């Protein structure tokens, strides 16, 4: 039985802790905050409940596997998991209204034909079929296996529309990615979808994951493929209920949690990680350390040493001078009940996609920063996601409704989120946009709560309040995350900022990978 110290109580860290405890190890989690869950938090007031992190779950099989492997109760026996149907409503500035069914390729094709005109569905279906090829080619090395030492091989874009066919696994990894002329997601969208609304529809999937479609590789087409193939799911009580269930599962497996226990150093002995030092001066010895935090924070814990492997990037997808974007959320307590025909998720598209992308990400390389005095203004017309769960647990009674509005925004730094002005103005813009989905919204507001990237930074410790995106093949490997296995023996990385990247499902995968490497050894190549 090994002694394992886990830094942080986020979803990836807890996923690793539960699996390692089942394998017979003594696991202690050290969390600097007062609670578990990391970015999967909860805001409560006057009987209203709001998720402060993700509001929906994709690829639930990751957590089904976790609960099956760590106890008798399945995921569905632990939380109330339901498919969101329709999956989403998309509203465009010209009045186009698209209602998409959940996990139905044929239904999506019909909906797009009806909204964008004949042929739009077929063009979308052809793109999704090519995305499936990219998914099939990269699923194991990108998501189900530890990142290879020759991770540069994943720098090639697997999207089959790119021209060159040579490289790993029958040539799929070298189809143009990282090469001059390799298509970006935006280029693929314009070339293959044609209709500006269909282009915006595809690009919105990338933006929702914090990716700039102007620079993201064509392999980002896997994001809508995954959503439409595996569906969109909601956990009763919100995503915080999933974090609570995982925390309770860890407790049943005898994982020990130490809250308000900030780790200030990682102890090294005989050339390997040997424990953690806490802010009160205490040293907790361990045979293995799992860091479930942003790897960019690790050099400070290691006396300046960078533990990731040579050439790896701890800030995947980072543009010049800024980190990945954050989120701004507006929690709305509304008078009046939720209508029976309300849609759980509505995306209200910006009327000016180019201006929004520049506000969030800055100008693309070679066009200048577009900033004044190093700062950018928030988008005047952000794309807004409106979440209206039909869940009594989120509201005090049926005469009220809890609604969450959110938009992808620049992190703190490029935009100054310190004062109330930027947050208040942006919140007003989200509400204005959301009135397209909820007529008369302003008149129903009892109160609102605004959360900016600065709140995310406080919750997670990540500079600027950035939110990690998923790992992608292509773009020369710039969208890969640091490997779970580090150059320092005994130190492993878990969570959304490590392989295979951000999102609830990816965080759960990282925990499984770390547990496999520790239990099976560093030559382990993933579950078969």
């Amino acid at each position: 039985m090994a002694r394992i110290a886990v830094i942080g109580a986020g979803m990836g860290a807890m996923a690793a802790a539960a699996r390692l405890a089942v394998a017979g190890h003594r696991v202690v989690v050290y969390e600097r905050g007062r609670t578990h869950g990391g970015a999967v938090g909860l805001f409560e007031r006057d009987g209203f409940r709001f998720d402060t992190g993700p509001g929906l779950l994709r690829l639930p099989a990751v957590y089904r596997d976790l609960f099956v492997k760590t106890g008798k109760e399945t995921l569905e026996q632990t939380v109330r998991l339901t498919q969101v149907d329709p999956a989403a409503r998309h509203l465009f500035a010209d009045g186009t209204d698209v209602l998409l069914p959940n996990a139905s390729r044929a239904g999506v094709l019909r909906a797009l034909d009806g909204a964008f005109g004949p042929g739009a569905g077929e063009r979308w279906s052809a793109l999704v079929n090519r995305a499936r090829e990219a998914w099939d080619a990269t699923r194991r090395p990108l998501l189900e296996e530890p990142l290879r030492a020759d991770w540069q091989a994943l720098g090639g874009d697997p999207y089959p529309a790119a021209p060159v066919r040579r490289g790993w696994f029958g040539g799929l990894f070298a189809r143009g990615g990282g090469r001059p002329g390799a298509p970006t997601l935006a280029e693929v969208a314009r070339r293959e979808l044609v209709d500006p609304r269909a282009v915006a529809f595809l690009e919105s999937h990338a933006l929702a994951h914090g990716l700039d479609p102007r620079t993201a590789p064509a392999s980002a087409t896997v994001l809508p493929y995954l959503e439409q193939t595996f569906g969109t799911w909601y956990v009763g009580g919100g995503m915080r209920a999933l974090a609570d269930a995982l925390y309770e599962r860890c407790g049943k497996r005898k994982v020990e949690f130490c809250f308000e226990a900030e780790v200030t150093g990682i102890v090294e002995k005989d050339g390997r990680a040997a424990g953690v030092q806490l802010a009160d001066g205490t040293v907790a010895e361990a045979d293995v350390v799992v860091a479930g935090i942003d790897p960019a924070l690790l050099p400070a814990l290691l006396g300046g040493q960078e533990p990731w492997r040579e050439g790896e990037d701890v800030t995947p997808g980072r543009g010049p001078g800024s980190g990945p974007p954050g989120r701004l959320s507006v929690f709305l307590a509304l008078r009046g009940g939720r209508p029976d025909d309300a849609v759980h998720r509505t995306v209200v598209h910006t009327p000016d996609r180019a201006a929004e992308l520049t506000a969030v990400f800055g100008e693309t390389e070679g066009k200048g920063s577009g900033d004044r005095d190093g700062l950018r203004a928030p988008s005047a017309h952000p794309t807004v996601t409106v979440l209206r769960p039909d869940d009594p647990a989120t509201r005090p009674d049926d005469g009220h409704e809890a609604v969450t509005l959110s938009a992808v925004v620049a992190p703190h730094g490029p935009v100054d989120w310190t004062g109330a002005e930027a947050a208040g103005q942006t919140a007003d813009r989200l509400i204005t946009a959301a009135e397209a989905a909820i007529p008369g919204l302003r008149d129903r507001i009892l109160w609102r709560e605004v959360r900016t990237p600065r709140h995310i930074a406080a919750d997670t410790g990540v500079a600027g309040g950035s939110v990690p995106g998923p790992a992608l093949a292509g773009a020369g490997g710039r969208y890969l995350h640091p490997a779970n296995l580090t150059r320092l023996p005994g130190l492993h990385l878990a969570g959304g900022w490590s392989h295979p990247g951000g999102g609830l499902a990816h965080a759960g995968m990282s925990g499984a990978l770390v547990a496999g490497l520790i239990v099976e050894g560093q030559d382990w190549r993933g579950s078969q």
Side-chain angles (χ1 to χ4, degrees), residues 13-38:
M14 289 196 293
R19 290 176 181 272
L20 289 167
V22 167
H25 300 295
R26 178 176 178 248
V27 184
V28 182
V29 178
Y30 299 92
E31 167 57 49
R32 69 184 183 95
R34 297 181 178 181
T35 188
H36 58 278

Side-chain angles (χ1 to χ4, degrees), residues 133 157-176 179:
E133 292 187 44
D157 196 321
Y159 189 74
V164 180
R165 298 179 59 93
R166 60 174 182 269
W168 260 11
F169 294 89
L172 287 169
F173 285 95
R175 294 184 185 180
R179 293 166 43 88

Side-chain angles (χ1 to χ4, degrees), residues 412-434:
H412 180 62
V415 170
D416 184 3
W417 296 109
T418 303
E421 182 177 358
Q425 288 180 350
T426 305
D428 287 339
R429 292 165 181 167
L430 265 64
I431 292 171
T432 297

Side-chain angles (χ1 to χ4, degrees), residues 278-468:
L278 305 179
D280 63 4
T282 303
V283 173
E285 295 182 350
D287 302 298
V288 175
V289 175
V290 176
I293 59 176
D294 180 0
L297 302 174
L298 289 176
L301 304 182
L302 289 164
Q305 177 183 355
E306 295 183 347
W308 41 87
R309 299 183 306 196
E310 186 175 357
E312 289 182 340
D313 185 1
V314 296
T315 55
R318 185 184 297 267
S322 66
R327 302 285 190 279
L328 185 138
S329 299
V330 184
F331 304 143
L332 298 177
L334 303 184
R335 60 176 63 88
R338 181 183 187 274
D340 291 338
D341 61 352
V343 176
H344 190 123
R345 176 172 61 121
T346 300
V347 179
V348 183
H349 290 258
T350 178
D352 192 342
R353 173 78 61 187
E356 178 183 33
L357 295 178
T358 298
V360 174
F361 300 99
E363 295 283 5
T364 55
E365 189 173 353
K367 294 185 179 180
S369 68
D371 302 345
R372 184 182 63 188
D373 299 326
L375 293 177
R376 296 199 293 269
S379 173
H381 301 286
T383 294
V384 178
T385 298
V386 183
L387 295 181
R388 307 178 72 182
D390 185 10
D391 185 352
T394 64
R395 55 187 185 252
D397 53 55
D398 288 341
H400 295 84
E401 183 180 6
V403 171
T404 298
L405 313 180
S406 64
V408 176
V409 297
H412 180 62
V415 170
D416 184 3
W417 296 109
T418 303
E421 182 177 358
Q425 288 180 350
T426 305
D428 287 339
R429 292 165 181 167
L430 265 64
I431 292 171
T432 297
E435 287 187 301
I438 310 177
L441 173 61
R442 287 187 184 275
D443 294 335
R444 296 179 56 195
I445 298 175
L446 291 170
W447 52 261
R448 76 184 192 187
E449 178 74 16
V450 182
R451 288 179 58 88
T452 73
R454 293 198 73 217
H455 293 93
I456 298 174
D459 289 346
T460 64
V462 176
S466 293
V467 176

Side-chain angles (χ1 to χ4, degrees), residues 6 8-30 36-37 63 66-67 69-73 78 241-259 511 515:
V6 179
M11 298 298 284
M14 289 196 293
R19 290 176 181 272
L20 289 167
V22 167
H25 300 295
R26 178 176 178 248
V27 184
V28 182
V29 178
Y30 299 92
H36 58 278
Y63 287 91
L66 171 61
F67 277 78
K69 298 289 178 58
T70 60
K72 295 181 179 179
E73 300 86 6
T78 309
L242 179 62
D244 291 343
L246 182 50
Y247 174 68
E248 292 171 5
R249 177 57 54 90
C250 285
K252 290 179 179 179
R253 302 282 76 82
K254 308 303 181 185
V255 175
E256 180 182 348
F257 285 82
C258 300
F259 294 105

